[in-house]
Amino acid sequence: EVQLVESGGGLVQPGGSLRLSCAASGFTFSSYWMSWVRQAPGKGLEWVANIKQDGSEKYYVDSVKGRFTISRDNAKNSLYLQMNSLRAEDTAVYYCAREECGPTGGLVSYYYMDVWGKGTTVTVSS
Amino acid sequence: DIQMTQSPSSLSASVGDRVTITCRASQSISSYLNWYQQKPGKAPKLLIYAASSLQSGVPSRFSGSGSGTDFTLTISSLQPEDFATYYCQQSYSTRFTFGPGTKVDIK
C-alpha cells in the first residue's frame, strides 16, 4: 500500500524549532519530487516547500524562506522539514505529499500531488 | 508568484444538482491546474490533474475544463459524499499555489 506518515509535530514556543518527518512506503521514494503543504486552523491549503528526487533542487514559499529547510534521505525513504524561528502564524497541520508526473508517455509533464499523509499538527504558542 | 482565485467562496446545493466552481490564475498556466477535494479533518484528495484528466478511482461525475487563466470544476449530479471544500492548485511554477477554496454544503 502506498503510504505517507508524518510525525514530529507538537507544541513549541515562538522562536523555537521543530523537525517534521514523513515516512514513505509502498513506492520508490527516490523517484519522486516531494512536497510539504500546511493548513492553518480554519484556513485553506498552503504549499510550503518541495524537493527534487536527488535533493538538488528545493523551493519554498516566501513566508518560510530562510527559516525552514526541506531535506530527504532516500536510503531511509524519508522526507524532513526543519523549522526554525517559528512564529504563531506557522501553527498548522502539516502534510507531506508525493508529486506525481503525468500523463505517462505524454509530450508535456504535468505535476500533481496524488498521495498525501494524514498530517501532523504544529502549534506555536507561549 | 502565481496567484489563484476561486468563485464562489461557498455555495449551497441539493443532492442531484449540477455544481460548477471556477478558478482563475493571475497569469497563463496552460493546463497546469489540479483540483482537490477536502473533507473536515481529512487530507486533501486529488480529483483532476492537468485541468481535465480524471484521477484514477474518482467518479465520472467530476470533470474539469479550461486552459490559460480560466478553469472550471463541474460536478454533474451532486452526491451526499461530495459535500466538502474544493481547491484548485497550479503546477506551472515549481512553487505551487492553491486557490482559497470553495465550500460546498447542503441546501
Side-chain angles (χ1 to χ4, degrees):
Chain A
E1 179 191 4
V2 174
Q3 196 172 9
L4 296 171
V5 179
E6 303 93 338
S7 60
L11 174 63
V12 61
Q13 292 188 339
S17 297
L18 213 53
R19 188 196 197 204
L20 305 184
S21 299
C22 171
S25 59
F27 65 99
T28 305
F29 177 74
S30 59
S31 297
Y32 292 87
W33 279 78
M34 297 293 295
S35 269
W36 286 100
V37 175
R38 68 183 178 182
Q39 187 169 36
K43 302 297 183 181
L45 300 171
E46 180 181 42
W47 173 83
V48 174
N50 62 2
I51 185 169
K52 194 176 179 179
Q53 290 91 331
D54 62 359
S56 62
E57 293 182 39
K58 305 174 185 181
Y59 299 91
Y60 301 90
V61 68
D62 284 347
S63 59
V64 309
K65 274 183 187 175
R67 299 189 299 123
F68 290 12
T69 301
I70 189 171
S71 63
R72 64 192 297 161
D73 185 335
N74 288 339
K76 294 184 177 179
N77 292 331
S78 292
L79 176 72
Y80 305 102
L81 187 67
Q82 177 67 44
M83 304 186 295
N84 299 331
S85 303
L86 281 161
R87 306 167 179 168
E89 53 265 35
D90 296 319
T91 294
V93 175
Y94 284 74
Y95 298 99
C96 65
R98 184 179 82 171
E99 293 184 27
E100 178 61 278
C101 175
T104 304
L107 294 177
V108 179
S109 296
Y110 296 95
Y111 282 88
Y112 46 94
M113 292 176 277
D114 69 331
V115 178
W116 295 69
K118 293 184 177 181
T120 188
T121 300
V122 173
T123 303
V124 184
S125 175
S126 54
Chain B
D1 287 353
I2 300 173
Q3 307 303 317
M4 308 299 293
T5 58
Q6 287 181 234
S7 61
S9 57
S10 65
L11 65 90
S12 295
S14 301
V15 172
D17 283 354
R18 182 182 182 87
V19 169
T20 299
I21 298 169
T22 297
C23 175
R24 177 165 288 174
S26 60
Q27 67 179 73
S28 176
I29 58 170
S30 183
S31 296
Y32 292 85
L33 191 284
N34 308 312
W35 290 97
Y36 300 85
Q37 176 195 66
Q38 188 182 33
K39 296 180 180 180
K42 300 294 186 181
K45 173 187 174 183
L46 176 70
L47 299 175
I48 302 284
Y49 66 93
S52 61
S53 295
L54 191 68
Q55 171 68 350
S56 175
V58 174
S60 59
R61 63 181 179 272
F62 291 92
S63 64
S65 64
S67 67
T69 60
D70 294 317
F71 302 87
T72 299
L73 173 70
T74 300
I75 309 172
S76 60
S77 178
L78 198 66
Q79 297 302 300
E81 59 269 30
D82 300 337
F83 292 96
T85 301
Y86 295 85
Y87 296 91
C88 62
Q89 173 248 327
Q90 65 80 20
S91 59
Y92 181 84
S93 165
T94 311
R95 295 171 61 185
F96 299 159
T97 46
F98 286 92
T102 295
K103 185 176 181 180
V104 177
D105 61 23
I106 301 171
K107 195 173 199 177

